[in-house]
């Protein structure tokens, strides 16, 4: 009796397996994403704690800046799908 190795779409033979590409850039993207989210969190904390003392002309742009940081962090350094 001969046994046959099972093959699925997710398994690859050693000849067709690819080496990971851009390993260092994924870490850099993760660090960028983390740094931008941390800065956005600090901005939100400032707006929430000093929001009543700040004029609307300052607090609204700070909040919009935090939103822009989160969106930019996701676009530049977020996970690649």
């Amino acid at each position: 009796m001969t046994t046959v190795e099972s093959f699925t779409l997710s398994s690859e033979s050693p000849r067709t397996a690819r080496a990971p590409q851009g390993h260092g850039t994924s870490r850099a993207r993760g660090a960028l994403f983390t740094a931008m989210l941390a800065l956005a969190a600090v901005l939100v904390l400032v707006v929430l704690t000093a929001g009543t003392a700040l004029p609307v002309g300052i607090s609204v742009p700070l909040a919009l800046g935090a939103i822009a940081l989160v969106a930019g962090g996701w676009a530049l350094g977020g996970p690649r799908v």
Side-chain angles (χ1 to χ4, degrees):
M1 175 181 253
T2 305
T3 58
V4 177
E5 182 181 337
S6 64
F7 181 78
T8 63
L9 294 175
S10 63
S11 65
E12 295 183 27
S13 68
R15 286 181 284 175
T16 61
R18 296 182 198 137
Q21 298 291 326
H23 197 62
T25 59
S26 64
R27 280 190 230 150
R29 281 196 314 257
L32 175 69
F33 185 57
T34 303
M36 290 181 87
L37 284 183
L39 185 59
V42 169
L43 277 176
V44 168
L45 185 65
V46 166
V47 169
L48 289 176
T49 56
T52 57
L54 290 174
V56 174
I58 294 174
S59 62
V60 170
L62 280 176
L64 291 175
I67 292 170
L69 278 173
V70 171
W74 186 263
L76 296 175
R80 302 288 181 223
V81 185

